[in-house]
Amino acid sequence: MIIRKLIFLAIFFCICQQGLAQSKGNFLLGVGMDLYRTDNSGFAERSQIGLEGNYFFTSKFSGTIGLDFWSGRETFFVLGGRFYPIDPVFIKMKGLIGDNSDVTLGMGYQRGIGGNFSFEGGMDFYFDPGELGIRLGLAYLF
């Protein structure tokens, strides 16, 4: 029964996808903000804003480079990648390079909102502190 539901969801995402049709050589520039992290004791206790660029080596794989700005802490240089198993769903892995370096593993969803603009939502698991973050943002496909 669970297998049927998963197959149905996969087919549904394939048919109803509204993501951007990226292809080899495209560049995706995005900005996002963490709305919530499990280590915050209150809403918007601190802010985290990320600026990322993704270069598509194929329509399914991209390399990520960027910066993460954390209030009250520091700025991280970001290196990573994305894999789109079912467009517009992606799996991502990022390395945060700075004084308190960390690695994240996450997934997200990308939905076209007009022209080359898209809305992105996703979550990341930060391995060092063992915390989960939820991020929303906008992206533009070149």
Side-chain angles (χ1 to χ4, degrees), residues 8-18 85-88:
F8 173 77
L9 284 174
I11 292 170
F12 177 77
F13 277 123
C14 288
I15 292 171
C16 297
Q17 69 175 326
Q18 298 253 341
I86 302 171
D87 191 19

Side-chain angles (χ1 to χ4, degrees), residues 11-43:
I11 292 170
F12 177 77
F13 277 123
C14 288
I15 292 171
C16 297
Q17 69 175 326
Q18 298 253 341
L20 298 176
Q22 67 272 354
S23 60
K24 180 180 177 180
N26 282 143
F27 187 76
L28 183 72
L29 182 62
V31 62
M33 180 176 182
D34 281 6
L35 295 181
Y36 182 75
R37 273 185 50 137
T38 54
D39 61 347
N40 283 351
S41 60
F43 182 74

Side-chain angles (χ1 to χ4, degrees), residues 72-92:
R73 289 192 184 179
E74 61 187 294
T75 299
F76 292 98
F77 180 67
V78 177
L79 283 176
R82 286 183 177 185
F83 168 60
Y84 289 78
I86 302 171
D87 191 19
V89 175
F90 57 88
I91 298 168
K92 57 184 174 174

